[in-house]
C-alpha cells in the first residue's frame, strides 16, 4: 500500500513510520507518470494496510493507494 503526503525536508514522517509501522518498506518521490516525478509529494510504501492507514491518519492530507 502506498501513502502519498506533501514533501517536507524534515524527517518527522520518516522517523515516525520507522518507529510505529513495522511494515514500513521505503519512501520515494511521487511518480505522476512514466519517468515523471512530482517533487512536491513523497510516497511511503507499506506491506500492511493497517500501518498505512495509521500513517495516513497521523500525517493527514495524504492519499492512499493499493
Amino acid at each position: 500500500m502506498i501513502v502519498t503526503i506533501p514533501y517536507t525536508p524534515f524527517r518527522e514522517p520518516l522517523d515516525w513510520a520507522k518507529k510505529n509501522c513495522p511494515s514500513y518498506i521505503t519512501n520515494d518521490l511521487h511518480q505522476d507518470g512514466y519517468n515523471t516525478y512530482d517533487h512536491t509529494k513523497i510516497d511511503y510504501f507499506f506491506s500492511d494496510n493497517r500501518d498505512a492507514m495509521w500513517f495516513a491518519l497521523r500525517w493527514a492530507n495524504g492519499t492512499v493507494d493499493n
Side-chain angles (χ1 to χ4, degrees):
M1 182 166 260
I2 303 167
V3 178
T4 303
I5 65 171
Y7 174 78
T8 176
F10 305 107
R11 294 183 50 99
E12 286 89 358
L14 175 60
D15 291 342
W16 193 92
K18 287 180 178 181
K19 180 179 178 184
N20 298 289
C21 303
S23 74
Y24 167 73
I25 300 169
T26 192
N27 63 53
D28 198 4
L29 287 176
H30 181 71
Q31 191 168 1
D32 280 340
Y34 178 74
N35 216 16
T36 309
Y37 296 90
D38 181 348
H39 297 277
T40 65
K41 300 176 186 173
I42 189 161
D43 294 335
Y44 282 78
F45 298 85
F46 300 87
S47 62
D48 184 315
N49 292 348
R50 188 175 8 191
D51 284 344
M53 292 310 262
W54 280 116
F55 183 83
L57 287 170
R58 170 62 178 90
W59 296 101
N61 67 2
T63 60
V64 180
D65 291 320
N66 283 330

